[in-house]
Amino acid sequence: GNSVTQMEGPVTLSEEAFLTINCTYTATGYPSLFWYVQYPGEGLQLLLKATKADDKGSNKGFEATYRKETTSFHLEKGSVQVSDSAVYFCALRSSGAGSYQLTFGKGTKLSVIP
Amino acid sequence: DSGVTQTPKHLITATGQRVTLRCSPRSGDLSVYWYQQSLDQGLQFLIQYYNGEERAKGNILERFSAQQFPDLHSELNLSSLELGDSALYFCASSPGVGGNEKLFFGSGTQLSVL
């Protein structure tokens, strides 16, 4: 079955530090990959996505590249801000027709301190 | 604000009881998805409805059921509650049936079973 593994948190960084959150996946076919973010007290929001190999998703300074050869979709940001403090979820959707079932990783909590 | 409304925000109940969680999707969205978020299992897909019909089933227990009404709101019914059912239950919606559509999540209902 499909699965997503992301680095355990929590991660604590100082403002302007470089961020990497690792994500690897197991899936059949050619899944689409996503990063969702959950701010305190809120629901998940789509941060970025990539639908095929070598695609790079980007949004709000965050980037992730779909690497089929390493089955990875690591999230990066060059300079984090306090407002980036949240829980980040890596997710995949299998290829093929059907419902939009997302398989999520367990989440990585990021805390950015001034 | 995602436009997805979930009520109640918090629910405290006892083992063996039955509760109903309600979700109103974004205006115009036809699909509703239910997810369970717990510390040990992470985010688990439960069930999807599209325009009133069940579209896909995930890891939903037989004690749980859901439905989507003609006005497109959805309810998740949890019965014979156990301590392990304590979790954050999210509803999400999307315009269509699947594909690579963006999901919009509500803020969740925090269920505590005592």
Side-chain angles (χ1 to χ4, degrees):
Chain A
N2 298 332
S3 67
V4 175
T5 303
Q6 57 183 108
M7 62 188 287
E8 297 280 330
V11 174
T12 302
L13 295 174
S14 297
E15 209 165 19
E16 299 184 2
F18 184 86
L19 168 71
T20 299
I21 300 178
N22 290 339
C23 171
T24 57
Y25 67 89
T26 301
T28 53
Y30 303 94
S32 296
L33 302 174
F34 307 83
W35 277 100
Y36 275 80
V37 59
Q38 183 180 23
Y39 297 103
E42 298 183 12
L44 281 71
Q45 302 173 29
L46 179 64
L47 181 59
L48 54 84
K49 70 177 184 183
T51 57
K52 62 183 188 297
D54 299 324
D55 267 3
K56 178 186 281 189
S58 61
N59 186 24
K60 299 181 181 179
F62 290 90
E63 293 183 339
T65 302
Y66 189 147
R67 301 285 188 202
K68 193 171 190 309
E69 64 275 13
T70 55
T71 61
S72 65
F73 192 55
H74 304 322
L75 182 68
E76 296 182 335
K77 186 175 185 182
S79 176
V80 293
Q81 305 300 312
V82 172
S83 57
D84 294 326
S85 298
V87 181
Y88 292 82
F89 292 89
C90 185
L92 71 81
R93 176 189 174 272
S94 291
S95 57
S99 74
Y100 195 57
Q101 295 184 49
L102 287 170
T103 300
F104 286 92
K106 291 202 170 183
T108 302
K109 183 175 182 179
L110 170 66
S111 296
V112 181
I113 55 178
Chain B
D1 182 9
S2 67
V4 179
T5 303
Q6 288 188 248
T7 56
K9 287 195 181 306
H10 303 277
L11 201 47
I12 301 174
T13 188
T15 54
Q17 295 299 303
R18 172 189 169 93
V19 296
T20 298
L21 281 53
R22 182 187 170 103
C23 170
S24 294
R26 285 189 332 148
S27 177
D29 283 359
L30 298 178
S31 273
V32 169
Y33 312 78
W34 285 98
Y35 283 85
Q36 179 194 57
Q37 185 180 33
S38 59
L39 285 174
D40 54 344
Q41 298 287 333
L43 263 166
Q44 299 282 316
F45 169 71
L46 296 179
I47 198 163
Q48 178 199 2
Y49 277 82
Y50 174 73
N51 205 20
E53 300 289 327
E54 182 183 302
R55 179 74 185 181
K57 230 174 201 182
N59 301 322
I60 188 165
L61 300 172
E62 284 193 14
R63 299 183 286 108
F64 296 0
S65 65
Q67 54 185 323
Q68 187 179 28
F69 294 87
D71 67 352
L72 301 176
H73 90 272
S74 177
E75 293 181 355
L76 179 67
N77 300 296
L78 315 176
S79 62
S80 303
L81 285 167
E82 302 175 0
L83 295 177
D85 298 327
S86 296
L88 188 52
Y89 291 83
F90 284 110
C91 167
S93 73
S94 70
V97 69
N100 283 319
E101 293 181 326
K102 180 176 174 179
L103 262 62
F104 295 85
F105 282 79
S107 301
T109 293
Q110 180 68 59
L111 174 65
S112 299
V113 182
L114 306 178

